[in-house]
Amino acid sequence: MPIKVFNPTTSSRRFLSQLDFSELTKKSPEKRLLQSKSGTGGRNNHGCITSRFRGGGHKRQYRLIDFRRDKKNVPGKIIALEYDPNRTSHIALVAYADGDKRYIIAPVGLKTGDSIISSDTADIQVGNALPLNKIPPGTTIHNVEMKPNEGGKLARSAGSMIQLVGFEGGYAQLRMPSGEIRIVSDKCCATIGQVGNLE
């Protein structure tokens, strides 16, 4: 995604640059997948400030993301790529064959019109979700569960990815972005590919 650089019309714009959202295909979110999000302003349940210098900011609505990928063996089609103000990565709107719609984290290379599926027998292609024991070692993955059926917890921010190193005794060895090797159950689910919005 290209980066826009602004002319120095004011002192604050002199060194300003931001992403050009030309890759995104939809501006308004899916209303059924929105939830209200209230800010605390750093106050607790008594109204006392417990975290200073909080508050202000643009009003945001939370997009309900499918981290669990628990709609098994139902093919889905990517119908839009969207901006999410609550995270660094972009999100993709998936329309499943049974009429359901869900948001997922958009990986690199996923385009509008692509088909994805969550299944034990799915192909090793970007956007598909499989258990770790069905993924060959050396594959790049993201949105990895720490416990089976818990939902993806690891590698969800923009540009992050985990490499599947190997298997031993019912556990999968994962090379984290930090270089650390972590082991999780090989029954945990993961999504193929690297999280998008690399810039």
Side-chain angles (χ1 to χ4, degrees), residues 132-183:
L132 289 170
N133 54 21
K134 306 290 183 183
I135 302 175
T139 308
T140 297
I141 54 178
H142 69 276
N143 191 37
V144 184
E145 294 179 330
M146 296 183 75
K147 295 178 183 175
N149 303 317
E150 186 184 45
K153 305 285 187 196
L154 305 174
R156 301 191 323 197
S157 65
S160 61
M161 61 177 178
I162 290 175
Q163 188 176 29
L164 181 58
V165 177
F167 301 95
E168 187 177 346
Y171 288 91
Q173 298 169 343
L174 308 175
R175 180 174 286 117
M176 307 296 287
S178 64
E180 172 198 356
I181 301 293
R182 180 173 284 196
I183 59 170

Side-chain angles (χ1 to χ4, degrees), residues 46-66:
H46 300 296
C48 299
I49 293 177
T50 54
S51 297
R52 297 190 300 164
F53 316 117
R54 295 275 183 95
H58 200 286
K59 193 171 178 66
R60 295 182 290 180
Q61 287 183 305
Y62 184 74
R63 278 79 167 156
L64 297 169
I65 311 290
D66 181 18

Side-chain angles (χ1 to χ4, degrees), residues 1-3 19-27 81 90:
M1 186 178 295
I3 294 178
L19 289 176
D20 173 21
F21 296 112
S22 55
E23 284 182 11
L24 305 183
T25 58
K26 194 174 173 219
K27 300 297 183 206
L81 295 173
H90 293 318

